[in-house]
């Protein structure tokens, strides 16, 4: 054997010196190594030296008929392939030299014979020669070893836990898109597992409607939900019981839809009832036995019927009870992306559009960012029809009208044009001898109530649609009716003032109830229709129930509460506190949430408001002639609007067009605020400026 090896080696050496190599027998398999770019003598010498080692290995093999498999590095240069052919190696016998891919973790391979998962594979015909990429030079190398394993395969990079999680998330998403072959290749190449085999089996049994097998799979899944904590173990048992209940419920409903009433009854009595879980639901399920046909069953059970859709929905519920190491929660990647988009929107100071839960409304390629130019920070219109101080302004509930009250004794009602959002004077309501300091729209916007300043004992209730005065109410000349609030039913209202009057009246001004001794500064009716919130002269807000005549303290401040308003959901209250500014209170927890900075608030009555599409913003007037806007979660203002020349008494945000806001001032004007004009062009210019600044 040694002699044969020497003779063969000599033959190979002499062949390398000749101009033409020996003819090779035709190959049965066309596994040729793809030649990478590489030229020059180093590549040639490497190929020649490597081939000599190969021939030596062939000569020393105890089984000449089964020569060892040789793994060539895919990065081997073109000169290596040329030298191999010139040395007579060619492509040899079928079991001769075999080139395998060494692509690892996503490296590309151009050989047709490379495995799609990118893993190295070898044929064990005795001793083997492995690949080694060495110093990663331009010309490839062929490394050899000795012993039972000559060389070693290039080791795959070990993935971190987060990398494995990302691969699993991508795999689940692709699986949901039906790209199953892509998922198989991804899992094969990465060495990850999308889910536990027991979970896969459970999934298949559920989707195929094999309920007995799926129920048996729960026992195997239980063994995967192990924990040394006895409490956790009991919790897992409870979850498995719930999963079993959901499986049996689907089984029961499918039997009923198929008309197998006896089988369904057996499931109800023999399987669902013994679980002693959610007996109320079992009673409801038993009522479905009376359904006359499948459509009736699906309607009463609010169920999609037997098939892929209802089983997929069931599987989504079941997945939520399994650890993510066993089976990922449904649509996990979609959930994470949606949370990321929502977080970016929450952190965006100027986001003022409707929240959309779908990802189609957002780009995943860029961070979400709204421009200040899209925010109502720019004067769109100045209303100058009042001839004295404007004390109050309020948009109607449907956002189509704006009412403004002035010291000039008039109420002006403006129409908001739907297309241009420009305001046009629509109606003038006159005759308020003391001036108009407060306005309140009825829930259906049919009526408008106007109140005067402290020395006013009268209240006007106008029919806005007809312009007629329906009621002019005055209980006593000593009264002070400075505030009003509508009951949610639109048939009653409460009014009061600082002289101790607190009345509940109907639309004709008839007194229904009264609360004596309460000096009211501001009022608000709670959505329950029974409770009225009132700020009084004791620096507090109390809740008064007119049905059982009870009251309770809700908010206590250290300084006088000049005015307050409540959010649509009734949870938050916005207070203008004398010498302190704007405070945000949680009415449910009865705690001060935030104090907003910047505004100048003395002892003038200034009215602030919630605003924006989701009431994420707060706006207030100020004695320094400005309008301040804050994001609800930030104490510092995000905008200070200038233009008024005297104290800004009131700010109102359009409830249906979040890009419009109005402010009323002692300068006799009402300003309408909106986005910047031609903002698209300006945004492009701004983007160009940012790009130039980054380039410089």
């Amino acid at each position: 054997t040694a002699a044969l090896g020497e003779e063969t080696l000599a033959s190979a050496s002499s062949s390398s010196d000749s101009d033409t190599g020996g003819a090779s027998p035709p190959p049965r398999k066309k596994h040729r190594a793809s030649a990478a770019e590489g030229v020059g003598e180093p590549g040639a010498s490497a190929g020649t030296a490597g081939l000599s080692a190969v021939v030596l290995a062939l000569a020393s093999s105890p089984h000449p008929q089964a020569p060892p498999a040789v793994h060539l590095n895919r990065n081997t240069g073109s000169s290596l392939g040329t030298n191999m052919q010139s040395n007579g190696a060619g492509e040899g016998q079928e079991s001769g030299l075999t080139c395998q891919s060494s692509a690892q973790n996503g490296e590309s391979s151009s050989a047709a014979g490379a495995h799609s998962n990118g893993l190295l594979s070898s044929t064990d015909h005795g001793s083997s020669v492995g690949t080694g990429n060495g110093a990663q030079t331009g010309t490839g190398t062929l490394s050899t070893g000795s012993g039972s394993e000559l060389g070693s395969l290039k080791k795959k990079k070990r993935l971190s836990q987060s990398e494995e999680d990302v691969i699993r998330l991508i795999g689940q998403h692709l699986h949901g898109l039906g790209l199953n072959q892509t998922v198989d290749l991804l899992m094969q190449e990465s060495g990850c597992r999308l889910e536990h085999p027991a979970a896969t089996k459970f999934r298949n049994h559920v989707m195929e409607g094999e309920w007995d097998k799926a129920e048996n799979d729960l026992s195997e899944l239980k063994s995967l939900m192990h924990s040394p904590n006895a409490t956790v173990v009991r919790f897992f048992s409870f979850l498995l019981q719930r999963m079993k209940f959901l499986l049996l419920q689907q089984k029961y409903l499918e039997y009923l839809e198929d008309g197998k009433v006896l089988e369904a009854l057996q499931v109800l009595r023999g399987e669902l009832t013994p679980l002693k879980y959610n007996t109320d639901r079992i009673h409801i399920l038993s009522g479905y036995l009376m359904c006359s046909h499948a459509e009736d069953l699906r309607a009463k059970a609010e169920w999609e019927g037997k098939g892929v859709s209802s089983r997929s929905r069931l599987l989504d519920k079941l997945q939520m009870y399994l650890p993510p190491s066993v089976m990922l929660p449904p649509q996990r990647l979609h959930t994470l992306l949606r949370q990321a988009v929502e977080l970016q929107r929450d952190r965006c100071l100027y986001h003022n559009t409707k929240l959309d839960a779908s990802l189609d409304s957002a780009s995943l390629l860029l961070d979400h960012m709204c421009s200040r130019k899209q925010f109502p920070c720019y004067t769109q219109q100045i209303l100058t029809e009042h001839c004295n101080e404007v004390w109050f302004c309020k948009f109607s509930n449907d956002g189509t009208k704006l009412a403004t009250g002035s010291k000039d004794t008039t109420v002006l009602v403006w129409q908001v044009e739907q297309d241009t959002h420009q305001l046009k004077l629509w109606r003038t309501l006159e005759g308020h001898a003391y001036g108009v300091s407060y306005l309140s729209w009825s829930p259906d916007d049919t009526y408008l109530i106007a109140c005067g300043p402290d020395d006013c004992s009268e209240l006007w209730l106008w029919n806005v649609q007809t312009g007629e005065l329906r009621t002019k109410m005055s209980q006593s000349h000593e009264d002070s009716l400075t505030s009003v609030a509508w009951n949610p039913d639109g048939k009653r209202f409460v009014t009061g003032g600082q002289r101790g009057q607190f009345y509940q009246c109907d639309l004709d001004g008839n007194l229904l109830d009264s609360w004596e001794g309460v000096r009211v500064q501001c009022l608000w009716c709670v959505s329950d229709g029974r409770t009225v919130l009132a700020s009084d002269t004791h620096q507090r807000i109390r809740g008064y129930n007119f049905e059982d005549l009870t009251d309770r303290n809700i908010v206590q401040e250290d300084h006088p509460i000049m005015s307050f308003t409540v959010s649509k959901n009734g949870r938050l209250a916005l207070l203008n506190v004398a010498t302190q500014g704007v405070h945000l209170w949680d009415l449910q927890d009865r705690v001060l949430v935030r104090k907003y900075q910047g505004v100048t608030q003395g002892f003038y009555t200034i009215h602030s408001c919630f605003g924006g599409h989701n009431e994420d913003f707060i706006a207030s007037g100020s004695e320094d002639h400005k309008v301040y806007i804050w994001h609800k979660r930030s104490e510092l203002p995000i905008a200070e609007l200038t233009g008024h020349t005297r104290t800004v008494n009131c700010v109102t945000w359009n409830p249906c067009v979040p890009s419009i806001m109005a402010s009323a001032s002692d300068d006799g004007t009402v300003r309408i605020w909106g986005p910047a004009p031609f903002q698209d062009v300006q945004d492009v210019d701004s983007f160009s400026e940012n790009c130039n600044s980054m380039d410089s």
Side-chain angles (χ1 to χ4, degrees), residues 256-541:
L256 283 181
E257 187 182 45
D258 291 339
K260 300 178 181 179
V261 180
L262 292 179
E263 289 85 346
L265 187 59
Q266 175 59 33
V267 172
L268 184 66
R269 291 180 176 177
E271 299 182 67
L272 278 169
T273 304
L275 288 178
K276 297 180 180 179
Y277 176 84
N278 200 348
T279 54
D280 292 339
R281 179 61 180 169
I282 291 177
H283 292 156
I284 296 175
L285 292 175
S286 63
Y288 298 154
L289 290 168
M290 307 303 295
C291 294
S292 56
H293 48 78
E295 290 77 9
D296 188 25
L297 170 67
R298 289 193 288 268
K300 289 184 177 179
E302 298 180 353
W303 179 59
E304 297 171 288
K306 178 180 178 180
V308 175
S309 179
S310 65
R311 291 174 182 174
S312 298
R313 193 177 296 274
L314 169 65
L315 196 59
D316 287 345
K317 293 180 181 179
L318 295 171
Q319 283 179 262
M320 299 177 67
Y321 299 111
L322 292 173
S325 59
V326 177
M327 181 182 284
L328 289 174
Q331 298 183 327
R332 183 58 183 162
L333 180 60
H334 185 277
T335 300
L336 291 174
L337 292 175
R338 188 182 69 249
Q339 291 174 352
V341 170
E342 290 176 355
L343 179 62
Q344 289 187 18
R345 285 173 176 170
D346 288 342
R347 291 181 175 179
C348 178
L349 293 178
Y350 300 106
H351 186 75
N352 191 26
T353 57
K354 183 179 180 181
L355 291 180
D356 191 346
S358 68
L359 293 178
D360 296 335
S361 62
S363 172
L364 301 180
L365 306 181
L366 296 171
D367 288 344
H368 174 86
M369 183 175 61
C370 294
S371 170
R372 187 180 187 272
K373 296 184 177 70
Q374 302 169 336
F375 207 67
C377 297
Y378 302 86
T379 300
Q380 302 278 26
Q381 196 174 354
I382 303 177
L383 310 179
T384 59
E385 278 69 9
H386 283 293
C387 55
N388 210 325
E389 298 174 358
V390 185
W391 289 340
F392 200 84
C393 60
K394 185 70 174 179
F395 278 107
S396 60
N397 297 295
D398 61 6
T400 61
K401 297 176 181 65
L402 173 71
T404 58
S406 170
K407 186 179 180 180
D408 65 7
T409 74
T410 65
V411 173
L412 302 184
V413 181
W414 308 80
Q415 182 77 41
V416 181
E417 296 293 332
Q418 293 184 353
D419 298 331
T420 63
H421 295 162
Q422 290 290 302
L423 275 69
K424 294 183 178 180
L425 183 60
W426 183 60
R427 199 174 296 284
T428 300
L429 308 176
E430 299 176 327
H432 312 86
Y434 297 89
V436 179
S437 62
Y438 195 85
L439 295 166
S440 181
W441 291 89
S442 64
D444 61 358
D445 294 328
T446 301
Y447 298 104
L448 180 68
I449 296 180
C451 298
D454 292 343
D455 53 351
C456 179
S457 61
E458 298 175 331
L459 174 148
W460 293 264
L461 192 156
W462 294 90
N463 186 320
V464 182
Q465 305 302 323
T466 63
E468 297 177 352
L469 178 64
R470 171 162 180 171
T471 302
K472 181 179 179 181
M473 191 191 86
S474 178
Q475 294 294 326
S476 170
H477 292 293
E478 297 180 356
D479 286 351
S480 173
L481 304 181
T482 58
S483 183
V484 67
W486 283 90
N487 191 285
D489 62 11
K491 300 177 181 179
R492 296 169 291 165
F493 62 88
V494 292
T495 183
Q498 292 191 3
R499 296 180 182 175
Q501 294 77 36
F502 189 10
Y503 305 133
Q504 181 171 226
C505 307
D506 62 14
L507 296 181
D508 296 322
N510 298 318
L511 186 63
L512 302 178
D513 295 291
S514 65
W515 209 294
E516 298 296 333
V518 180
R519 298 180 181 273
V520 174
Q521 181 72 26
C522 192
L523 295 167
W524 189 273
C525 287
V526 181
S527 58
D528 62 7
R530 300 186 303 270
T531 307
V532 178
L533 303 181
S535 61
D536 56 30
T537 54
H538 297 284
Q539 306 167 2
R540 64 188 180 182
I541 295 178

Side-chain angles (χ1 to χ4, degrees), residues 58-65:
L58 290 172
S60 61
S61 173
H63 303 289
Q65 70 279 10

Side-chain angles (χ1 to χ4, degrees), residues 119-130:
L119 301 177
L120 286 170
S121 61
S122 61
T123 307
D124 187 8
H125 293 297
S127 58
S128 62
V129 180

Side-chain angles (χ1 to χ4, degrees), residues 139-263:
T139 59
T141 60
L142 179 68
S143 61
T144 63
S146 60
S148 59
E149 189 66 39
L150 301 178
S152 61
L153 299 178
K154 182 180 178 182
K155 293 184 179 180
K156 289 185 60 180
K157 174 187 174 183
R158 183 177 180 84
L159 299 176
S160 66
Q161 183 61 51
S162 61
E163 290 171 332
E164 290 185 8
D165 292 344
V166 170
I167 290 174
R168 292 182 65 200
L169 292 173
I170 294 174
Q172 184 195 44
H173 184 71
L174 294 176
H175 178 76
L177 298 177
L179 305 177
N180 297 329
Q181 292 183 354
T182 305
V183 175
D184 293 340
L185 181 60
L186 176 63
M187 296 300 120
Q188 203 172 41
E189 186 171 1
S190 64
C192 297
R193 186 171 62 185
L194 184 59
E195 59 187 13
H196 196 278
T200 303
K201 183 170 61 173
F202 176 66
R203 177 193 300 276
N204 294 336
H205 288 157
V206 170
M207 295 304 297
E208 294 168 4
E210 298 181 359
W211 307 115
D212 293 338
K213 293 182 179 179
E215 189 176 342
N216 292 333
D217 293 337
L218 291 179
S219 300
E220 186 174 354
L221 293 174
K222 183 178 181 180
S223 63
L224 302 176
M225 302 164 65
H226 53 79
S227 173
N229 191 319
T231 303
V232 176
V233 172
R234 287 194 298 271
F235 179 67
F236 284 159
S237 300
F238 170 78
L239 294 182
L240 289 172
Q241 185 184 29
R242 176 164 178 76
M243 293 174 68
K244 185 176 181 180
F245 181 87
L246 293 174
L247 284 174
L248 294 175
Q249 177 179 253
Q250 179 80 9
K251 179 181 178 182
Y252 168 76
L253 293 174
E254 290 193 6
Y255 274 148
L256 283 181
E257 187 182 45
D258 291 339
K260 300 178 181 179
V261 180
L262 292 179
E263 289 85 346

Side-chain angles (χ1 to χ4, degrees), residues 564-604:
F564 76 94
T565 186
V566 179
S567 61
K568 290 180 180 179
N569 60 11
R571 179 70 184 263
L572 300 174
L574 194 62
L575 284 62
N576 282 77
V577 183
T579 71
Q580 301 300 302
V582 181
H583 292 180
L584 182 67
W585 279 79
D586 188 315
L587 297 178
Q588 181 174 319
D589 296 336
R590 304 183 189 181
V591 295
L592 177 62
V593 177
R594 196 161 286 111
K595 295 181 179 180
Y596 297 101
Q597 302 178 18
V599 67
T600 302
Q601 169 80 63
F603 288 91
Y604 284 106

